[in-house]
């Protein structure tokens, strides 16, 4: 017998903020998944909008590639505002 | 509501010393481990077992308290208890999901629980015999759970730590709810006070056992501490619990059922009488008074729900097929 | 006193059905439903509490919500027979919820403009709750009705068993017409309109009912209610005058 699929749940805490991953649950289809997400993850006013995504639909980066993915940016400090010297007299920029 | 210390995990692992060293370095640096990261097999197994036991405890823990939802003696208490037991179900759900990130499915874990292979906190194998038990469970059992769970919010495994943060946030009302019930009884009629004392007498020692065996007899503590799955030893947590709880009992005018209980100025904590470890192991090994009934109840719910789960899947398949046909 | 009685009828409906739903807690077919069912139960119990409290004040004889809930026996309870029907299987529970919510949703909508502020307040909250109950129960009725052979048979069986109790939804209570509450009979159109598409999708037939079951409003209940109340009231009644 097949298992009930797993879904990832994302909730927008309030308008103006992005949806954020809050957990997962099992449901046979997307309608039941949304209802379950409402019943499980918003019992204390945690959100105003829900996304549910089949867990199998998520493509994740490989942690073994973390070094080549994310470390090369470490020395590109010119991308950050503090890299540039502006005299205090100029004011906030 | 948390289980006692980990029971029966096998933390053995066969990786190279270099790999283990590198892993330990990450742990020591307080780096969180995420599901797809390379990890020692022993670490993974320990977590699957511990999170599974924890989840099972939440689920089985719904039963003793659920036993009083239909008899709660006021509508206010009824709503609060229902919401609390519902929370326990939610916590089980979050925890199963955390364990699932390690490649074990909820169905597999459920089968292990129902077959009697998986353990859960033995506290739930005691019966709830009066309304006062509901108060005492909230106060003592949830109180002990909070002692256990707060350090777990800093556990090295990310999904477990995140689930625990959510659980701790939600549980903050559980202990207060329990204490308020006991307080109402302790200040009520003589029968109510007697009911509260009787429940305290029955639940005190099992609550102390929730922290697991003494450190000297705990096989898994060292490795779990090194891996920062566990942050405090069983005895440390038990001591914290006793020191916090005894004054709360005194405030209520209830007597902690331990003739040897005494304040020890030198250690700045209470000394307590001997714990009946014979009883502890008996209950852990499945001979608790309610052990069979608890599993039977869970199995009944699972078996009787099978047709519902199958129908939902069958309908989902039909929906998907119709959607494709319509495109 | 008619308003007191009418509010009490509504309160009894909500408490008894909420109590029934709460019996599922820890025994649902899946963990997700172990959270969904208490949510619905808590909505109903919350509404019942406000209504009992209101009824107690309308009566003005010093009774409170708990005295009304815990110290009346089955002949004094005024709930609809539908609300006290045993949970049965999951199909029964979901259908019972759908039948009730599909009635209460238009009912509370009509009560939004009640001259009684408490009733209007309850309506404002309950309208949203009932809309969700319809959706949740309705989606399950559809899945069970058009799921497997077994689920379809169970769903149809639930319809056959529960449909005779739906006529009572539309009867004016023993309290008679009360200006502060909507007329019940006019809800039939809205009720049917909610159910029809769900039944169609669920491949269910709405049966003809030659002999509807009624009597709840005059305290003529099935045998199950006495057991429900005996259990619910046992602790409260064993300690007269105690606080909890």
């Amino acid at each position: 017998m097949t298992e009930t699929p797993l879904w990832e749940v994302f909730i927008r805490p309030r308008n103006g903020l992005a949806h954020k991953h809050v957990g997962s649950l099992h449901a046979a289809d997307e309608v039941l998944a949304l209802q379950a997400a409402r019943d499980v993850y918003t019992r204390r006013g945690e959100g105003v909008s829900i996304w549910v995504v089949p867990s199998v639909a998520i493509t994740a980066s490989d942690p073994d590639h973390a070094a080549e993915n994310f470390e090369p940016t470490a020395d590109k400090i010119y991308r950050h505002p503090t890299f540039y010297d502006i005299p205090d007299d100029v004011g906030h920029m | 509501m948390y289980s006692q210390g980990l029971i029966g995990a096998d933390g053995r692992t066969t990786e190279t010393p270099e790999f283990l060293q590198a892993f330990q370095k990450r742990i020591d640096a307080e780096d969180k481990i995420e599901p797809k990261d390379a990890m020692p097999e022993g670490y993974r197994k320990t977590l699957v077992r511990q999170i599974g036991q924890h989840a099972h405890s939440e689920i089985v823990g719904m039963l003793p308290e659920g036993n009083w939802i239909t008899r709660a003696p006021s509508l206010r208490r009824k709503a609060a208890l229902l919401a609390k037991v519902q929370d326990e179900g939610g916590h089980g759900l979050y925890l199963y999901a955390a364990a699932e990130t390690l490649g074990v499915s909820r169905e597999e874990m459920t089968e292990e629980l129902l077959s009697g292979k998986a353990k859960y906190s033995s506290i739930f194998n005691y019966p709830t015999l009066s309304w006062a038990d509901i108060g005492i469970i909230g106060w003592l059992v949830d109180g002990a759970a909070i002692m256990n769970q707060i350090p777990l919010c800093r556990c090295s495994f990310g999904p477990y730590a995140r689930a625990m943060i959510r659980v701790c946030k939600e549980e903050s009302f559980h202990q207060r709810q329990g204490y308020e019930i006991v307080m109402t009884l302790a200040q009520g009629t003589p029968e109510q006070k007697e009911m509260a004392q009787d429940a305290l007498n029955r639940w005190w020692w099992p609550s102390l056992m929730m922290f697991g065996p003494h450190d000297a007899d705990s096989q898994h503590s060292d490795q779990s501490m090194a891996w920062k799955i566990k942050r405090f030893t069983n005895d440390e947590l038990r001591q914290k619990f006793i020191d916090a709880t005894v004054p709360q009992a005194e405030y209520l005018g209830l007597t902690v059922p331990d003739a040897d209980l005494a304040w020890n100025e030198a250690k700045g904590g209470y000394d307590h009488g001997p714990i009946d470890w014979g009883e502890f192991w008996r209950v852990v090994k499945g001979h608790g008074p309610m052990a069979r009934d608890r599993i039977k109840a869970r199995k009944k719910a699972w078996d009787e729900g099978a047709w519902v789960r199958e129908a939902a899947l069958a309908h989902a398949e039909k929906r998907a097929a119709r959607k494709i046909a319509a495109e | 006193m008619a308003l007191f009685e009418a509010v009490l009828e509504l309160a009894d409906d909500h408490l008894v059905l909420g109590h029934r739903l709460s019996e599922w807690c820890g025994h649902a077919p899946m963990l997700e439903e172990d959270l969904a069912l208490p949510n619905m139960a808590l909505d109903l119990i919350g509404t019942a509490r406000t209504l009992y409290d209101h009824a107690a004040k309308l009566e003005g004889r010093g009774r409170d919500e708990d005295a009304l809930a815990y110290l009346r026996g089955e002949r004094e309870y005024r709930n609809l027979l539908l609300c006290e029907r045993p949970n049965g299987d999951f199909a029964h529970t979901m259908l019972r919820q759908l039948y009730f919510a599909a009635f209460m949703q238009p009912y509370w909508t009509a009560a939004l403009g009640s001259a009684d502020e408490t009733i209007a307040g309850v309506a404002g909250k309950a309208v949203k709750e009932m809309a969700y109950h319809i959706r949740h129960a309705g989606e399950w009725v559809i899945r069970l009705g058009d799921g497997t052979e077994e689920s379809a048979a169970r769903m149809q069986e639930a319809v056959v068993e529960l449909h005779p109790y739906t006529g009572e939804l539309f009867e004016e209570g023993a309290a008679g017409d009360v200006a502060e509450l909507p007329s019940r009979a006019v809800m039939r159109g809205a009720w049917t309109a909610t159910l029809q598409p769900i039944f169609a999708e669920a491949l269910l037939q709405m049966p003809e009912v030659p002999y509807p079951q009624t009597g709840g409003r005059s305290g003529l209940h099935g045998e199950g209610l006495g057991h429900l109340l005996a259990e619910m009231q046992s602790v409260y009644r064993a300690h007269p005058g105690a606080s909890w």
Side-chain angles (χ1 to χ4, degrees), chain B residues 59 70-79 86 106 184 192 195 298 307 309 311 315 318-319 322, chain C residues 19 26 29 31-32 35 39 42 49 65-66 70 143 146-147 150-151 154 231-232 236 239 243-244:
Chain B
I59 298 307
T70 52
R71 290 177 286 174
S74 78
L75 295 182
R76 175 171 177 266
R77 294 286 180 216
K78 193 185 192 70
Q86 179 195 39
R106 193 202 290 177
T184 311
Q192 284 178 306
M195 199 192 280
R298 285 310 308 165
W307 69 271
R309 298 190 299 274
H315 184 83
K318 290 183 195 178
R319 272 166 69 94
R322 275 176 219 149
Chain C
H19 182 99
L31 202 37
E32 281 73 9
L35 277 94
N39 269 351
L42 287 167
R49 289 190 61 191
E65 52 166 306
D66 289 332
Y70 288 90
R143 275 154 189 76
D146 184 20
E150 179 182 4
S151 72
R154 284 173 180 266
E231 187 176 344
M232 184 173 89
Y236 188 92
H239 300 266
S243 315
W244 300 98

Side-chain angles (χ1 to χ4, degrees), chain C residues 8-200:
Chain C
L8 200 56
E9 287 173 1
L10 278 173
D12 287 348
D13 289 347
H14 285 76
L15 178 60
V16 168
L17 185 57
H19 182 99
R20 280 288 186 228
L21 285 180
S22 80
E23 291 171 356
W24 272 102
C25 190
H27 308 279
M30 64 204 68
L31 202 37
E32 281 73 9
E33 281 303 310
D34 262 324
L35 277 94
L37 291 161
N39 269 351
M40 295 197 285
L42 287 167
D43 287 343
L44 298 173
I45 292 169
T47 299
R49 289 190 61 191
T50 314
L51 292 172
Y52 280 130
D53 181 63
H54 190 44
K57 285 177 182 136
L58 288 168
E59 185 190 40
R61 282 171 44 194
R63 290 204 276 185
D64 64 4
E65 52 166 306
D66 289 332
L68 288 173
Y70 288 90
L71 291 178
R72 288 179 306 132
E74 60 243 67
R75 290 285 286 116
E76 294 155 284
Y77 258 71
R78 292 285 180 261
N79 61 282
L80 299 165
L81 298 179
L82 178 71
C83 297
E84 73 189 55
R85 292 307 299 162
N87 285 336
D89 62 13
F90 194 65
H92 275 74
T93 294
M94 284 298 125
L95 184 68
R96 187 184 59 195
Q97 201 60 30
L98 177 64
Y99 280 159
F100 182 74
F103 175 86
M104 289 313 301
Q105 210 268 341
Y107 182 86
W108 287 126
T109 304
L112 285 170
S114 171
D116 182 313
E117 268 178 41
T118 308
I119 290 171
V122 169
K125 176 185 93 92
V127 145
K128 296 167 213 151
E129 294 170 350
M130 290 304 112
Y132 184 73
H133 294 201
I134 292 172
R135 214 144 50 78
H136 189 78
E139 294 292 351
W140 271 113
V141 167
I142 290 168
R143 275 154 189 76
L144 300 179
D146 184 20
T148 61
E149 216 174 287
E150 179 182 4
S151 72
R154 284 173 180 266
M155 200 65 243
Q156 190 61 52
E157 168 62 25
V159 171
V160 170
E161 196 177 309
L162 290 175
H163 213 78
Y165 297 96
T166 56
E168 196 180 20
L169 285 165
F170 309 99
E171 288 181 0
E172 301 307 336
D177 264 342
V178 172
E180 292 87 345
L181 287 167
S183 151
R184 301 183 69 93
V186 298
M187 302 300 156
R188 192 179 280 278
W191 185 79
T192 312
T194 300
L195 290 182
Q196 263 169 352
I198 295 170
F199 269 55

Side-chain angles (χ1 to χ4, degrees), chain B residues 37-49:
Chain B
D37 291 353
M39 62 183 84
E41 190 49 27
Y43 179 84
R44 199 188 73 85
K45 271 193 196 155
T46 301
L47 278 167
V48 166
R49 176 100 44 145

